[in-house]
Amino acid sequence: MRNLLLNSFLLLALAGPASAADPVLWYSHPAQRWGDALPIGNGRLGGMVYGGVAQEHIQLNEDTIWNGEKRDRLNPAALKALPEVRRLLFAGKPREAEALEERTMMGIPNRQPPYQPLGDLNIAFTGHDNPTGYRRELNLATGVVRVTYRIGDTACTREVFSSAPDQVLVVHMTCDKPGLLSFHASLSRSQDGTITVAPPDRIILEGEAIAHTDFWITPNLTGDKLKAEKDQLEFRGVKFRAELRAISEGGHVAATASDVAVSNADAVTLLVVAATNYRGGDPAVDCAQYLSGAMKPYAVLKAAHLKDHETLFRRTDLELTPPSGDSSRDMFPIDERLARVREGKDDPGLAALYFQFGRYLLMGSSRPGTMAANLQGIWNESMAPPWDSKYTTNINIEMNYWPAEVGNLPETTGPFFDLVKANLASGRRTAKEMYGARGFVFHHNLDAWQDTAPVDYAYCGIWPMGGAWMALHFWEHYQFGLDRTFLQNEAYPVMKEASQFLLDYLVDDAKGHRVTNPSYSPENSYRMADGTIGRQTVGASMDYEMIYTLFHATMSAAQILGVDPAYRAQLEDTLRRIPDLKVGKLGQLQEWSEDYDEPTPGMSHVSHLFALFPSDEITLRGTPVLAAAARISLERREQNGGGKSGWPSAWYANLWARLEDGDHAYQHIQNLLATSSESLLNANRRFFQIDANFGGTSAIAEMLLQSHSGVIALLPALPSAWPDGRFRGLRARGDVTVDLTWKDRHAVVATLMPGTAGEFQLRPPHGQRITRIQVAGRTVPITESDGVWRVRLEPNHPYTVSF
């Protein structure tokens, strides 16, 4: 084993402090709770590192550990009941329609199983008491958590990372004096796991993901009511295995009855591997292969991890300078900086860290071949997590991937597309058997088992628009990368099927329109003139916005590929009969086909603003009346308490950025920071959801660069709190990478690197003009009209834009 490790002094040099330029989260104390621990992940295998001194705790996740199994939940009465549901909704009887849906259309059972944690790694050190000089940090650029402290005159260092190349979680420990590392390391799980010891240096955790309770069990139930809810649970699930191996330099390693004991070592590397039978493999065989492949010197493991991680992460930089130029706040630990934000102080550098942290989390929870990032990414400590830690399609799974393209991480979208494709067969059957329609349908939740039947409650579960929204991500991926092969083989087939379902789902309203029925505006309710509170309806505005966007995208894709002219014509003809968006009596964008009052005007969702973001059906210059109405809708939500934290604040920030109101968007970035946990995760509230981190990252990018509607807009929503800064490596639609530096809220210079030749349109920051565009010292022709400059760019050459 000694031959597998380098000299500890060489290892300490390799594990040196972060570069001053690297984005780093650091703290002067260990984490006291899960939400303050630091996340690591390779897309599949994740950990939350607490950084304790005498007791280290790393909570573990593997992305396929799901309760349940494949099953058929489709309600056989659904299709027969659909005409009566539609009749009731047309007749203005939403309560009666919802009651009928509950009896005849909801899945049986009406719950989906949860994603569960793998377990915990605990390390109990001997003699590591009374530390001084403690520091815990996560270097986002390297993906390494580092803990340093002194015990007396001895300096101790601990590094933790999850390696994608080697599919192993690595913990490496050293002290600068020999023989001072003694500890017991163990694996555990709070339920349904067994521990065996494999001498001389391994521990094995095996188990099955069983649901004994779940997030939806009503508190304080007893008797038959409790039994009825528990009957929804799945008492079977994925079988898993994890192995821990200790490799020491010096000292002694021994497997005891329940852990691995290391005594008097100079340096130690712990390797954690995990596997499941989710894809049909043998977890024992897979773990053996992972461990065998990871039996390398620590320096080699770390070098492979760094090469992989940095190749992705370092594509993009962001620096935001404080208005005063005072960077002293950057010297404070993150928890102190967050406390200052909560006091109302500005910290542009912390916003830049938040942006990069979102990119880091997406890399850590979504890599080629892994599961898609769920409601918690991959980081979940609970056997009954919030909303089962599933894939919620009415905003959350989509928000997870908003920063992927603009943040220059297009590879991370693969698992999202895999999730869609894995559910197509089920979605086709659900479309046919529930609605008598072609194509495929997803309702508001998916899980690991290709289950597309509706769940939870009829008022929110009968929402058949999830597939349409997810299909639009395929179009976004094409727009950013212009990969025609992807468009032809992956994007267009999915978009076509999603639009086919909607063609068949639409019905005549006897007024010349094609409308959605049943329909729902997630997750809002309305008050009718007689006082009735309804949720299910006919023709929620969001449906029409999504149909408009998807049909136009499908038509554009077909035209690019030169296919399906008759189908294009059918989509175009149907669009003419889709009801127009309306402005309501308060000047707001109507959320429903009627101008209903809202019982909860400050609710979190802003579903009817989908047309503003993430779509571009509503724009400031193209549809100014609707843009003004969208602004009023957003203001009314805020005035009534909406968007104060979490993913709603993230969505609001993106919407304000599209309205080019940087200061308003900035307030929501401040909200996200103020309500974050110490680790910057959206985990400071009752429930952790990772979507806010991703949505906030997207919003910061939207404030600095937009590229919808065929125009690349530079600094379109720059807030006054960020007067100076620079970004490198953001992506725009049209396969263009953009760098830009600004000072005193004015662009100084920008660089465009196109990957594809073409005509491009550029809009400079407010109040500025483009004076010149050069490539290789040569000025290229440009023309201007209505504040937009047009230029032809050739691929793989940097173009410098002067203002």
Side-chain angles (χ1 to χ4, degrees):
M1 294 300 176
R2 292 170 181 258
N3 293 332
L4 290 172
L5 294 158
L6 296 177
N7 181 275
S8 60
F9 294 106
L10 176 59
L11 290 169
L12 282 168
L14 180 70
S19 163
D22 282 351
V24 173
L25 314 182
W26 75 276
Y27 311 84
S28 58
H29 57 81
Q32 300 301 310
R33 63 190 186 102
W34 184 87
D36 296 334
L38 293 172
I40 56 172
N42 63 11
R44 184 184 70 87
L45 185 61
M48 292 289 284
V49 184
Y50 284 67
V53 176
Q55 299 279 339
E56 174 64 285
H57 176 203
I58 303 175
Q59 186 268 314
L60 303 171
N61 288 101
E62 199 277 352
D63 70 343
T64 61
I65 297 180
W66 283 74
N67 171 239
E69 61 185 355
K70 286 191 176 182
R71 57 183 176 171
D72 179 6
R73 292 192 312 108
L74 283 178
N75 194 320
L79 185 58
K80 184 177 180 180
L82 181 61
E84 178 62 8
V85 168
R86 285 173 164 162
R87 187 193 69 79
L88 289 168
L89 288 171
F90 274 133
K93 297 180 178 181
R95 288 285 189 81
E96 293 85 347
E98 289 170 21
L100 181 58
E101 289 172 334
E102 199 73 58
R103 295 194 306 271
T104 61
M105 299 187 74
M106 295 304 295
I108 305 172
N110 70 344
R111 294 285 182 265
Q112 289 175 319
Y115 168 67
Q116 291 189 342
L118 169 61
D120 299 272
L121 167 62
N122 288 285
I123 310 170
F125 291 89
T126 300
H128 284 221
D129 302 311
N130 303 313
T132 59
Y134 179 91
R135 179 180 170 109
R136 171 175 60 109
E137 70 174 42
L138 166 60
N139 186 319
L140 301 176
T142 64
V144 176
V145 170
R146 195 164 187 260
V147 178
T148 57
Y149 54 91
R150 301 187 71 85
I151 302 297
D153 61 351
T154 301
C156 299
T157 299
R158 189 182 313 153
E159 291 190 326
V160 191
F161 58 87
S162 186
S163 168
D166 289 298
Q167 289 297 306
V168 61
L169 189 148
V170 181
V171 183
H172 183 72
M173 295 160 281
T174 60
C175 292
D176 66 353
K177 290 184 172 58
L180 292 183
L181 281 172
S182 297
F183 60 83
H184 289 258
S186 61
L187 293 176
S188 63
R189 194 173 195 261
S190 63
Q191 65 181 51
D192 307 310
T194 59
I195 299 294
T196 56
V197 176
D201 54 12
R202 284 188 301 138
I203 301 172
I204 298 168
L205 166 66
E206 293 179 291
E208 186 174 358
I210 306 297
H212 298 279
T213 185
D214 78 6
F215 176 75
W216 299 98
I217 296 290
T218 304
N220 304 317
L221 283 184
T222 58
D224 290 343
K225 290 184 178 180
L226 178 61
K227 181 180 182 303
E229 292 206 10
K230 286 212 166 189
D231 283 346
Q232 305 273 1
L233 301 178
E234 285 281 331
F235 293 102
R236 62 190 64 80
V238 164
K239 294 179 180 178
F240 58 85
R241 179 183 177 107
E243 296 192 20
L244 166 67
R245 186 168 199 169
I247 306 166
S248 74
E249 180 179 359
H252 179 68
V253 177
T256 70
S258 59
D259 59 26
V260 169
V262 176
S263 55
N264 306 120
D266 304 332
V268 181
T269 299
L270 301 181
L271 304 177
V272 179
V273 298
T276 76
N277 69 346
Y278 174 74
R279 294 186 173 92
D282 183 333
V285 172
D286 291 342
C287 280
Q289 290 177 344
Y290 289 143
L291 266 184
S292 175
M295 293 300 292
K296 305 170 185 176
Y298 174 68
V300 175
L301 287 172
K302 184 177 179 183
H305 164 73
L306 292 178
K307 181 179 180 182
D308 168 78
H309 185 91
E310 293 185 16
T311 297
L312 296 175
F313 187 88
R314 292 192 188 277
R315 291 172 181 168
T316 301
D317 290 331
L318 175 61
E319 293 180 12
L320 299 173
T321 305
S324 63
D326 176 16
S327 60
S328 62
R329 71 197 73 193
D330 296 346
M331 305 302 293
F332 292 101
I334 296 299
D335 52 312
E336 294 184 25
R337 295 172 72 176
L338 286 171
R340 290 167 180 244
V341 170
R342 293 181 189 117
E343 294 170 357
K345 295 181 172 62
D346 295 322
D347 190 341
L350 192 57
L353 275 175
Y354 192 86
F355 169 82
Q356 290 287 41
F357 186 53
R359 295 181 66 247
Y360 168 86
L361 292 172
L362 190 55
M363 289 171 53
S365 60
S366 187
R367 292 288 198 102
T370 72
M371 304 289 277
N374 61 46
L375 274 172
Q376 279 71 32
I378 55 171
W379 299 279
N380 164 42
E381 66 168 340
S382 174
M383 298 296 170
W387 296 279
D388 303 316
S389 201
K390 300 193 296 287
Y391 304 108
T392 303
T393 70
N394 66 12
I395 178 61
N396 313 92
I397 180 68
E398 294 89 355
M399 185 180 283
N400 283 2
Y401 287 89
W402 283 354
E405 304 293 348
V406 67
N408 215 337
L409 295 172
E411 298 91 341
T412 62
T413 61
F416 180 96
F417 300 142
D418 291 343
L419 176 67
V420 173
K421 290 182 287 186
N423 280 275
L424 285 177
S426 172
R428 290 176 188 127
R429 179 168 173 250
T430 301
K432 180 179 179 180
E433 296 190 15
M434 281 193 68
Y435 302 107
R438 298 170 298 161
F440 73 93
V441 63
F442 299 161
H443 292 93
H444 86 301
N445 271 291
L446 299 173
D447 62 10
W449 304 110
Q450 296 83 55
D451 181 356
T452 57
V455 297
D456 301 339
Y457 309 99
Y459 75 85
C460 60
I462 304 301
W463 181 77
M465 304 301 293
W469 195 341
M470 295 182 77
L472 283 167
H473 278 247
F474 287 76
W475 177 241
E476 281 288 278
H477 188 72
Y478 169 74
Q479 285 189 297
F480 274 89
L482 300 183
D483 183 342
R484 186 183 176 95
T485 300
F486 173 83
L487 180 67
Q488 178 175 320
N489 296 338
E490 298 196 47
Y492 181 66
V494 170
M495 294 159 63
K496 182 177 180 180
E497 280 201 70
S499 60
Q500 281 176 330
F501 169 76
L502 291 169
L503 282 173
D504 291 355
Y505 185 73
L506 291 163
V507 294
D508 289 324
D509 68 350
K511 300 176 184 177
H513 295 123
R514 297 286 286 172
V515 297
T516 51
N517 181 3
S519 177
Y520 174 57
S521 186
E523 293 184 4
N524 207 357
S525 59
Y526 58 89
R527 182 184 290 111
M528 301 173 68
D530 64 1
T532 299
I533 303 299
R535 290 164 293 197
Q536 290 280 292
T537 188
V538 175
S541 297
M542 185 191 202
D543 291 358
Y544 301 140
E545 295 167 7
M546 207 174 292
I547 289 168
Y548 179 94
T549 305
L550 177 63
F551 282 16
H552 276 282
T554 306
M555 290 159 57
S556 295
Q559 187 169 16
I560 291 166
L561 296 172
V563 298
D564 291 340
Y567 188 63
R568 275 184 269 159
Q570 184 182 10
L571 293 175
E572 191 167 12
D573 180 66
T574 302
L575 281 171
R576 295 190 187 100
R577 300 181 62 194
I578 297 298
D580 293 331
L581 299 180
K582 301 175 184 177
V583 177
K585 56 182 176 287
L586 300 175
Q588 89 286 7
L589 189 70
Q590 272 187 212
E591 189 161 355
W592 299 276
S593 57
E594 301 294 332
D595 195 5
Y596 296 121
D597 290 331
E598 295 179 84
T600 53
M603 67 90 60
S604 299
H605 281 255
V606 280
S607 301
H608 59 310
L609 301 188
F610 173 91
L612 178 63
F613 185 91
S615 181
D616 61 352
E617 180 186 355
I618 295 176
T619 64
L620 275 177
R621 295 164 186 83
T623 57
V625 173
L626 293 177
R631 183 184 185 97
I632 291 173
S633 290
L634 199 50
E635 289 172 340
R636 291 192 72 246
R637 282 285 199 272
E638 292 178 343
Q639 291 161 4
N640 287 280
K644 296 296 186 183
S645 62
W647 65 261
S649 205
W651 195 353
Y652 287 30
N654 281 278
L655 291 163
W656 282 115
R658 281 289 174 91
L659 291 170
E660 299 182 13
D661 189 332
D663 286 340
H664 226 133
Y666 171 75
Q667 283 306 121
H668 287 285
I669 300 301
Q670 289 291 87
N671 288 348
L672 289 170
L673 291 170
T675 55
S676 292
S677 62
E678 282 187 6
S679 65
L680 294 187
L681 285 170
N682 176 40
N684 212 27
R685 304 183 301 156
R686 183 182 174 195
F687 304 123
F688 165 54
Q689 285 182 220
I690 203 167
D691 41 21
N693 288 98
F694 295 135
T697 297
S698 166
I700 291 169
E702 284 286 319
M703 294 161 76
L704 303 175
L705 178 71
Q706 296 177 18
S707 59
H708 57 281
S709 301
V711 178
I712 297 173
L714 306 174
L715 303 182
L718 185 68
S720 55
W722 301 344
D724 304 331
R726 72 170 189 92
F727 64 78
R728 178 186 63 83
L730 293 182
R731 292 177 79 222
R733 294 170 182 83
D735 192 17
V736 183
T737 303
V738 183
D739 307 341
L740 190 144
T741 299
W742 70 94
K743 188 171 180 58
D744 296 327
R745 303 193 70 208
H746 286 79
V748 176
V749 64
T751 302
L752 308 178
M753 176 65 83
T756 305
E759 301 285 339
F760 292 85
Q761 299 186 90
L762 308 176
R763 180 179 294 116
H766 297 285
Q768 289 192 264
R769 296 177 58 82
I770 294 174
T771 59
R772 184 174 59 184
I773 299 179
Q774 291 184 302
V775 59
R778 176 178 58 85
T779 300
V780 299
I782 56 176
T783 59
E784 183 268 338
S785 176
D786 295 327
V788 173
W789 275 255
R790 292 166 177 80
V791 61
R792 177 168 181 82
L793 305 180
E794 299 299 326
N796 305 317
H797 295 287
Y799 288 77
T800 302
V801 182
S802 300
F803 303 90

